[in-house]
Amino acid sequence: MMRVLVIDDDVEFTEHLKAVKPVEVSMEVVHNSERVFAHLRAGIPDVIVLDLSMAPTLATDSASEGLAILGAIMGMAMSQETAYQATGLMLAYSA
């Protein structure tokens, strides 16, 4: 079964994704930056869908939040033996 981690603060959008996902896909959703890393430490998903315009927590503005999360994910991968090279990453931005 393919594991997908969706990182997006838009609850309505993530509910829609869950409703249309194929049954052979296991989808976890994280709505804030703080919870991302707990999910990643629990196991590396096959695909990460990352909203680049989340409400700022790690960054100073929403335009940078997704990039801050991406940088932290990449830094986490560099500091662990387990690489994220097998993980697909889909970046999304909406104004």
Side-chain angles (χ1 to χ4, degrees):
M1 179 172 287
M2 178 181 285
R3 291 182 55 232
V4 175
L5 175 61
V6 178
I7 305 167
D8 196 316
D9 58 351
D10 185 337
V11 175
E12 185 177 327
F13 174 72
T14 57
E15 289 299 318
H16 176 72
L17 280 181
K18 284 194 249 180
V20 299
K21 76 168 184 61
V23 291
E24 58 274 351
V25 171
S26 169
M27 182 180 291
E28 294 182 52
V29 175
V30 178
H31 293 290
N32 61 56
S33 304
E34 294 87 16
R35 300 193 45 121
V36 170
F37 305 103
H39 279 273
L40 292 174
R41 281 190 289 277
I44 300 170
D46 298 304
V47 176
I48 298 172
V49 178
L50 172 60
D51 175 11
L52 292 179
S53 62
M54 291 179 61
T57 302
L58 299 175
T60 56
D61 59 50
S62 63
S64 302
E65 184 68 10
L67 295 177
I69 294 170
L70 177 59
I73 290 170
M74 298 310 291
M76 194 175 170
M78 299 292 280
S79 67
Q80 296 180 355
E81 292 180 14
T82 307
Y84 284 80
Q85 63 190 11
T87 300
L89 180 64
M90 177 179 151
L91 304 174
Y93 179 80
S94 62

